[in-house]
Amino acid sequence: MIIDDYEKVKGIDLTINPTLHQRNWTYYYQQYITAFSCLLDVSRSCNYQTNFRYMAFLFLMRHSLELLLKNQLEQNQTVPIKSIPMSHNLLQLADLAGEDKIVFERDFNVLKCDSEGDCFRYLTDNNNVQYFTGTIDSFDTCQNFILYNNLHSPDALIKMIPLDDKKSIRNELLFHSNEVTTLGIITTHYDATIFELFLQIYSNKVSANDIYLPLLFLIRHSVEIKIKFALMNIGNELSDKSVITSCHSLNKLWDVFTSHIMPAIQNITDQELKNESLEKYSQAESLKKLMAVLDANSFCFRFPVDRKGHLSSFKPTKHILEEVKDLYLKADSFLCFAVEVLFEGGYLTIGDDIIHDLME
């Protein structure tokens, strides 16, 4: 995790007014576009603040566009919310919304319109093929998104200032995907984004009420990919590696993780280290349990309906973001370093493939 101003993050007011929560496309869109706008404003400073969080940056832009298209579909018809297609394929959604598919795909090609959008949340597809291997020039895509948003956003409530077309901002939005080689690096992108949004709240540039949905999702996803990265670091001692690419259930991922970690902790002979490990394990498990209850399969924080089209079961409580944030800070070190520490201590067995990589 990026913790430059840890005390600031600890002390910010993350109180939510639950009565404001709505389960419709407009509300979810406004939450996500507000979070993305915060990051875009940081990018405008051209202080090299975007490349080390670009995976989350592009996820927020793509997801905002998906929500905007679905909001357009809902506004253009008199059918219930559950009839909105659950596809994440932007090209299909744009076609349904009456957009010119050729123009739309050209304008938003960076966002991988003809896909389900997993490319900004994970390193590889289900066949272990890496999504990106070259540079990602996102300036024009950002500019097109701003114009599209200003034309189609609900009641024009969220206007965005177009970007200055100059070399510095173009460089700021030129991303080097060859630097993202592991899930661990993607976690830093998400953590840096989470931390930046917390700082935006701390600086009173935005309120927790305005961005709690994207913040909760970003934290939930950070937990998911940290568990997956930990499992990857166990190597071929993990009998079924498909869980890393195909599973999104925090409970299932945690059960696999626990099956390796808990025996290692129980084998620790230093009682002080053992007690500390058990405490940190408990903190991480508490975060996992809370996130799994709130959003079992990475859907509730992103959409106002479930996969069957029924209204989302998620309803925030006044202090839920505060509770999640506190557990997130406490659990981070265990999620990131448990495998490494237990292996180096001789308590955890990892695969020959990982040992070979470490020795190179």
Side-chain angles (χ1 to χ4, degrees):
M1 182 190 294
I2 310 294
I3 309 182
D4 295 326
D5 291 315
Y6 182 79
E7 292 304 318
K8 288 183 180 179
V9 170
K10 286 180 61 177
I12 57 178
D13 180 12
L14 297 177
T15 304
I16 294 171
N17 183 348
T19 63
L20 298 178
H21 183 73
Q22 299 176 45
R23 291 177 290 176
N24 58 57
W25 297 107
T26 301
Y27 188 79
Y28 273 62
Y29 170 70
Q30 290 174 341
Q31 288 265 322
Y32 274 85
I33 188 60
T34 300
F36 176 71
S37 296
C38 288
L39 299 183
L40 194 60
D41 285 344
V42 173
S43 297
R44 293 177 196 273
S45 66
C46 301
N47 289 325
Y48 304 103
Q49 294 296 301
T50 313
N51 192 66
F52 68 90
R53 60 168 69 96
Y54 82 77
M55 290 288 277
F57 177 88
L58 291 176
F59 160 76
L60 286 172
M61 180 163 57
R62 191 189 196 282
H63 193 63
S64 296
L65 183 56
E66 178 181 338
L67 293 172
L68 179 52
L69 286 167
K70 290 181 174 179
N71 183 75
Q72 287 176 244
L73 292 174
E74 183 181 35
Q75 298 301 315
N76 292 339
Q77 55 189 358
T78 57
V79 294
I81 187 174
K82 67 179 182 179
S83 68
I84 303 300
M86 296 317 298
S87 169
H88 310 305
N89 186 306
L90 297 183
L91 211 54
Q92 292 177 1
L93 295 170
D95 188 41
L96 289 171
E99 301 292 340
D100 184 320
K101 288 176 64 176
I102 296 176
V103 173
F104 188 91
E105 187 170 30
R106 179 200 67 200
D107 288 348
F108 299 111
N109 67 305
V110 166
L111 301 181
K112 302 291 183 183
C113 297
D114 197 15
S115 75
E116 292 296 287
D118 291 344
C119 50
F120 301 118
R121 293 187 289 143
Y122 304 103
L123 184 66
T124 65
D125 62 19
N126 289 344
N127 296 316
N128 211 32
V129 177
Q130 190 164 331
Y131 286 117
F132 297 104
T133 55
T135 56
I136 303 174
D137 188 348
S138 65
F139 173 83
D140 289 330
T141 303
C142 285
Q143 196 78 292
N144 290 330
F145 176 65
I146 291 169
L147 296 175
Y148 193 88
N149 165 81
N150 290 349
L151 181 63
H152 296 285
S153 63
D155 302 320
L157 291 177
I158 306 168
K159 286 288 185 179
M160 301 172 72
I161 302 171
L163 299 168
D164 292 331
D165 190 354
K166 54 186 181 181
K167 184 177 181 179
S168 56
I169 187 65
R170 281 187 173 273
N171 288 340
E172 183 77 11
L173 297 174
L174 184 67
F175 304 140
H176 307 291
S177 66
N178 60 318
E179 297 175 355
V180 179
T181 56
T182 68
L183 278 179
I185 295 174
I186 297 178
T187 67
T188 66
H189 283 225
Y190 274 77
D191 286 338
T193 300
I194 293 162
F195 194 74
E196 178 58 46
L197 292 177
F198 280 145
L199 290 182
Q200 293 281 317
I201 295 172
Y202 175 82
S203 303
N204 294 317
K205 295 177 181 178
V206 68
S207 76
N209 268 318
D210 296 328
I211 58 172
Y212 62 87
L213 285 170
L215 262 174
L216 286 170
F217 171 76
L218 292 169
I219 293 173
R220 188 220 179 272
H221 192 62
S222 174
V223 173
E224 178 184 329
I225 55 180
K226 280 172 184 168
I227 297 174
K228 288 183 173 182
F229 187 54
L231 292 176
M232 289 183 69
N233 285 335
I234 292 173
N236 56 24
E237 280 293 312
L238 185 67
S239 59
D240 182 10
K241 292 187 179 182
S242 66
V243 68
I244 297 172
T245 55
S246 61
C247 180
H248 304 294
S249 165
L250 293 182
N251 283 330
K252 291 180 180 178
L253 288 167
W254 187 259
D255 287 345
V256 177
F257 179 65
T258 296
S259 69
H260 291 269
I261 293 298
M262 276 308 292
I265 293 177
Q266 294 300 336
N267 286 334
I268 297 175
T269 55
D270 182 325
Q271 194 60 44
E272 184 177 350
L273 176 59
K274 184 174 183 177
N275 291 340
E276 181 183 3
S277 298
L278 288 170
E279 180 184 5
K280 290 185 178 297
Y281 172 89
S282 178
Q283 291 170 341
E285 185 177 42
S286 294
L287 174 61
K288 183 276 304 181
K289 283 182 178 178
L290 178 58
M291 300 308 285
V293 168
L294 295 174
D295 190 352
N297 286 292
S298 188
F299 216 72
C300 293
F301 298 145
R302 291 188 289 153
F303 303 103
V305 294
D306 62 23
R307 286 182 171 84
K308 295 182 179 180
H310 302 129
L311 288 178
S312 169
S313 61
F314 173 69
K315 295 180 182 178
T317 57
K318 185 176 181 179
H319 298 294
I320 189 60
L321 187 55
E322 179 73 33
E323 185 178 355
V324 167
K325 182 264 295 179
D326 287 346
L327 286 173
Y328 165 68
L329 294 177
K330 291 176 181 177
D332 185 69
S333 61
F334 185 84
L335 292 173
C336 291
F337 303 116
V339 170
E340 179 182 349
V341 170
L342 290 170
F343 167 69
E344 290 182 353
Y347 307 110
L348 177 68
T349 301
I350 65 174
D352 294 336
D353 54 338
I354 299 296
I355 294 175
H356 179 268
D357 290 343
L358 291 174
M359 294 176 64
E360 284 188 339

